[in-house]
Amino acid sequence: PGRARVRRRRRCSSGPAMHRWDALGGKTIEGVRSKTALGAAVSLVAALAAVFLIVSETRAWLSVDVEEHMDIDLHAGGGPVPVHLELNISFPNIACDRLEFKHEATRGGSFSEDARVVKAAEAGGGCNVHAAKVVDKVAGVMKLTYNPSEEERTAMARVPSGLSQQHLMQPPQLVPPGLNLSHTLHEVVISEAITGHAPNEEAIIDALPELRNSLNGRFFVADEGIGLHQYSIQVVPTRIRRLGSSHDVRLSQYSFTERSIPTSFFRGVSSAMPPGLLVSYDYYPVCVRYVEGRESAFEFITSLCAIVGGTVTVLGLMGRFLVFSAKALQGKAD
């Protein structure tokens, strides 16, 4: 009647069922964890390889990748985007009062402001001309025409003695004798940037050397008898999206050809084609876009983890292979 009941408590135990999930414990292979000189050498090589890969990956992540795209230029042929023209050129053999700057649109265009022209006399009787103007984005030409003096006009109108009647019937020459069109083209700018130069333009050109204008600093030596020199420029509008910026930097790339026209061409040609220098330009209907980018920090960290994990895995495989090979050789020796 008063039988005591004994209650037995059963302890909760994970038992063998949980052991199979143990990834850190378990029985180790004999000899794997022993420290040897061979294992130290392998570990050192693996550590150096991991450091090299991490440094390379970090440098690649810090560098800026540039992707190039080509788009249709929606503003070609005129539009709401004005173009800044600038010409800086020196003639060592022509006085400033003999040069006149003009600009003409050769394909449409309605907006044009007055040109700002600054002439500066140089040593030896030469002249530096710096002209700037804002126009519509249409093809055009910048002219530096040579205006002969009264003495030169008289010399051109004078008929040398001993000429035949056929020579007397020809129109007078329009280029003064001794005209020398040698020049240094310091700078040519045809840009959509408001001031003609984009912010940090030099840094951008250093990063993208293909944007450098090969016309700037060009020196031309005119042969005797040259009455007109012409540069024909093809302008490629260029947009650059800097890293971390939401706005495009507007620049231009240039390809050009040049030719010289002899004075004999001007005999009989109307005065609408005076001697001097022409810089004609036109636009490609496409624009080039450069976009700077960099992989995300998440991708960078993932790459680092992959490097470390791969190095540890390869190190483990090499260690086991070397230990197994050493045991096999030792067994054969015994």
Side-chain angles (χ1 to χ4, degrees):
R3 183 180 300 178
R5 295 184 179 179
V6 179
R7 295 182 179 179
R8 297 180 180 179
R9 295 183 178 179
R10 302 178 61 184
R11 295 183 179 179
C12 294
S13 175
S14 57
M18 294 295 295
H19 291 175
R20 64 177 180 268
W21 301 103
D22 187 2
L24 299 177
K27 185 177 179 180
T28 60
I29 301 176
E30 182 182 358
V32 172
R33 296 184 181 272
S34 61
K35 297 181 179 180
T36 62
L38 182 60
V42 173
S43 300
L44 180 60
V45 172
L48 293 177
V51 170
F52 174 77
L53 293 175
I54 290 173
V55 172
S56 301
E57 185 68 22
T58 303
R59 292 184 60 184
W61 180 68
L62 293 176
S63 63
V64 178
D65 298 328
V66 180
E67 296 183 358
E68 182 177 348
H69 309 274
M70 297 190 70
D71 300 325
I72 300 297
D73 187 9
L74 300 178
H75 301 304
V81 180
V83 173
H84 179 93
L85 303 179
E86 191 169 342
L87 177 65
N88 188 354
I89 188 171
S90 294
F91 293 90
N93 302 296
I94 301 177
C96 288
D97 56 351
R98 303 271 73 87
L99 293 172
E100 182 180 0
F101 176 83
K102 295 180 180 179
H103 173 268
E104 295 179 1
T106 57
R107 189 182 301 166
S110 58
F111 172 77
S112 177
E113 67 174 20
D114 295 335
R116 301 181 300 276
V117 182
V118 178
K119 299 180 182 179
E122 296 183 338
C127 181
N128 172 261
V129 181
H130 191 177
K133 189 174 184 179
V134 178
V135 297
D136 267 343
K137 190 177 178 180
V138 294
V141 58
M142 293 181 282
K143 300 180 180 180
L144 274 172
T145 58
Y146 181 83
N147 296 319
S149 62
E150 292 298 329
E151 293 79 5
E152 290 173 332
R153 295 179 185 275
T154 303
M156 288 186 293
R158 186 181 302 118
V159 179
S161 58
L163 292 181
S164 62
Q165 185 66 26
Q166 181 180 359
H167 287 87
L168 293 176
M169 295 297 295
Q170 291 182 354
Q173 184 176 345
L174 299 177
V175 179
L179 176 64
N180 190 340
L181 291 177
S182 298
H183 59 269
T184 299
L185 194 56
H186 302 290
E187 186 177 33
V188 175
V189 177
I190 308 172
S191 174
E192 297 177 14
I194 298 176
T195 61
H197 296 279
N200 301 322
E201 182 172 331
E202 288 299 325
I204 295 175
I205 293 177
D206 291 339
L208 299 171
E210 60 269 23
L211 298 182
R212 193 172 301 278
N213 186 359
S214 58
L215 276 171
N216 293 346
R218 187 174 184 82
F219 180 69
F220 172 76
V221 179
D223 297 330
E224 184 178 357
I226 297 300
L228 180 71
H229 191 73
Q230 180 178 7
Y231 294 97
S232 299
I233 303 175
Q234 288 290 329
V235 184
V236 182
T238 305
R239 312 284 186 268
I240 300 176
R241 179 69 59 87
R242 302 303 305 271
L243 181 66
S245 175
S246 58
H247 302 284
D248 291 339
V249 178
R250 296 176 180 269
L251 293 175
S252 296
Q253 298 184 67
Y254 309 93
S255 62
F256 72 95
T257 58
E258 58 181 322
R259 63 170 181 164
S260 297
I261 300 177
T263 56
S264 58
F265 174 82
F266 292 86
R267 184 178 294 275
V269 179
S270 65
S271 58
M273 187 83 170
L277 181 135
L278 300 180
V279 180
S280 59
Y281 61 91
D282 200 354
Y283 299 89
Y284 278 107
V286 297
C287 66
V288 180
R289 184 180 301 274
Y290 296 93
V291 181
E292 295 181 347
R294 177 185 294 163
E295 67 176 4
S296 65
F298 178 77
E299 294 175 332
F300 172 65
I301 295 174
T302 303
S303 299
L304 293 184
C305 294
I307 290 173
V308 175
T311 303
V312 172
T313 302
V314 173
L315 177 61
L317 293 175
M318 290 182 63
R320 296 191 181 194
F321 173 76
L322 292 175
V323 170
F324 176 79
S325 299
K327 286 186 176 182
L329 293 175
Q330 186 177 2
K332 289 183 178 181
D334 294 340

